[in-house]
Structures are given as structure tokens and as C-alpha cells.
Amino acid sequence: MTIKLHCFGESGHSYKAALALQLSGLDWEPVFVDFFSGQHRGKDYRNLNVMAEAPVLVDGDIRLSQSGVIQQYITDKTGKFGGKSEDKYEVLRWVLWDNHKLSSQVGMTRFLMNFLPEDKRPQEVIDFMQGRLKAAFATLENQLKGRDWLVGDAMSNADLTCCGYLFYDEPFGFDRKDYPNIDAWLTRISAMPGWKHPYDLMPGNPSDRA
Ligand SMILES: N[C@@H](CCC(=O)N[C@@H](CS)C(=O)NCC(=O)O)C(=O)O
């Protein structure tokens, strides 16, 4: 049975799940969530996910939200991206760090800078968030010093979670040129067979609302 992922192109959190599905080789298809019309706040969507967030994975009777949980489900189903058994907690550490310090803050900053009407963009908040993000980018850059992958010697959910927002071109205070280790790592990920940019992997693109 084809796995369904409720998602949308602008969502880096969705991309973390979509990319793991895509690279795992599982049979899956995206289901568009019309986030910018508020679909995720509606009753039907809340019945799907009480947290009112994308992504949501549906595989038969199984329904999961939270990209990190979905990634773990894909690992349990395929044996891929979990890292060596002794690295299991290290992978989890990076997934939790990403959800707290990296993707959540990039997602918010990118939303404020790009998807809010120009006259509603709160510059003070954006400046504050960019300061926080600089620290997160530095953490990632340091971890990747002298290594190909965040944990162990192969791509794992640690990489699949942390890269989620960093392939997007909309400005959020990140320039790959400033972070050579992150830049090389993103190039390594995008060289994986089957890799696609978020806007090529999931429906929904800022140009749809232009
Ligand atoms: N930690 C969650 C974050 C999910 C999330 O915040 N998704 C955004 C879309 S990118 C969302 O649906 N936000 C709804 C809202 O904040 O109202 C995950 O990794 O799945």
C-alpha cells in the first residue's frame, strides 16, 4: 500500500519526512496541505492531527506526526538511516536538537521574512531570531568539521533532520558560503540517489500565491 504524506512544499519539517521517504525507496505519495489557506487549523485536519501541524504520515492504520517520529518509523520499516546501534542515542540527540534549535527557529524566521506581508514583518523579532540561528549554524558547522556526516560514517536521521530547511533559497540569514562544512555536507546529501529539492518533492510553492 502506498504511504501518504500530508505535506506542502514550503514546509521544511515536511521535507525532513519526505526526503527520508524518498531516499528510503519506500512507495509513497504526497497529499497537499493548503497551509496558507489555513487548512491545518480546520476540523478535518485536526481529526487527522490534533497538533494541527504538517507533516502527517498515513500508512494503512498507522498515522504519525512529528518529522522525527516519522523518520524513526521509516528506519524501523527499512533498517535505513538509524545509524549503528551504538549511535542510536547520538542520532536522537541531533534530532531533538534540530527540532528545538535549528529547524523550528529557521522555519519561524523564514516565515516572518518571506511569507508574512511586508508591512507585518517584525524586524526586532527577526534580528533576535537571526542571532539565535547564528549560534545554531555554528554548532552544526563545528560538528561537521573533519566529518562527512553528523553521526558515524553514514547518512542518518541526524543529517536528514538537520538539513531540512537549509536547501531553501528564500532568505533567513543563512548563506552556504559562510559555512564551508555545512556547504560540503549539503552537497553530499544532494548527491544521494533520488534526492530532490523540496519544491520538486512536494506540492506547493510560493509561486502558486504570486
Ligand atoms: N516538530 C514538528 C514541527 C511541525 C511544524 O511546525 N510544522 C509546521 C509547518 S512547517 C506547521 O504545521 N505549523 C502549524 C502552525 O504553527 O500553526 C515536526 O518536525 O514535524
Side-chain angles (χ1 to χ4, degrees):
M1 189 185 297
T2 303
I3 296 172
K4 298 208 177 344
L5 187 74
H6 296 255
C7 60
F8 59 100
E10 291 90 340
S11 166
H13 298 295
S14 295
Y15 182 58
K16 295 186 274 183
L19 186 60
L21 283 165
Q22 175 75 2
L23 299 183
S24 74
L26 286 170
D27 178 26
W28 75 284
E29 64 186 23
V31 179
F32 177 56
V33 178
D34 194 351
F35 177 88
F36 290 94
S37 299
Q39 186 195 337
H40 62 296
R41 301 237 164 107
K43 195 166 165 260
D44 288 351
Y45 196 87
R46 280 180 191 276
N47 282 338
L48 182 72
N49 179 10
V50 70
M51 296 175 184
E53 291 179 341
V56 175
L57 174 143
V58 179
D59 185 11
D61 292 340
I62 291 173
R63 192 196 320 154
L64 300 170
S65 78
Q66 295 297 327
S67 58
V69 173
I70 295 171
Q71 289 178 338
Q72 186 58 48
Y73 178 73
I74 295 164
T75 291
D76 292 343
K77 206 169 161 100
T78 65
K80 294 180 182 173
F81 314 138
K84 293 193 179 130
S85 58
E86 64 267 29
D87 289 334
K88 166 168 107 170
Y89 296 119
E90 191 61 9
V91 171
L92 182 58
R93 206 160 73 92
W94 283 100
V95 171
L96 292 174
W97 176 81
D98 169 64
N99 274 260
H100 180 211
K101 288 283 176 52
L102 184 58
S103 287
S104 57
Q105 301 202 109
V106 172
M108 180 67 74
T109 311
R110 176 168 155 269
F111 181 85
L112 297 178
M113 290 176 69
N114 297 276
F115 301 141
L116 269 188
E118 266 182 57
D119 60 333
K120 298 221 161 75
R121 296 179 188 170
Q123 198 52 51
E124 253 184 64
V125 179
I126 291 169
D127 292 344
F128 174 78
M129 295 295 280
Q130 287 196 336
R132 307 255 315 151
L133 276 175
K134 272 204 178 104
F137 298 145
T139 300
L140 199 59
E141 178 73 1
N142 286 339
Q143 175 69 5
L144 286 166
K145 197 170 170 187
R147 17 179 353 123
D148 284 351
W149 305 106
L150 284 170
V151 177
D153 55 9
M155 192 177 73
S156 72
N157 289 329
D159 305 288
L160 289 169
T161 194
C162 289
C163 77
Y165 272 96
L166 304 184
F167 287 112
Y168 287 97
D169 293 327
E170 295 94 11
F172 51 86
F174 172 70
D175 185 339
R176 282 173 68 157
K177 286 198 291 300
D178 297 336
Y179 301 96
N181 300 331
I182 297 177
D183 183 37
W185 168 75
L186 291 175
T187 301
R188 222 169 277 130
I189 294 171
S190 59
M192 298 303 281
W195 180 88
K196 284 187 184 173
H197 186 276
Y199 290 133
D200 296 326
L201 196 55
M202 302 177 292
N205 187 305
S207 63
D208 300 341
R209 298 183 303 283

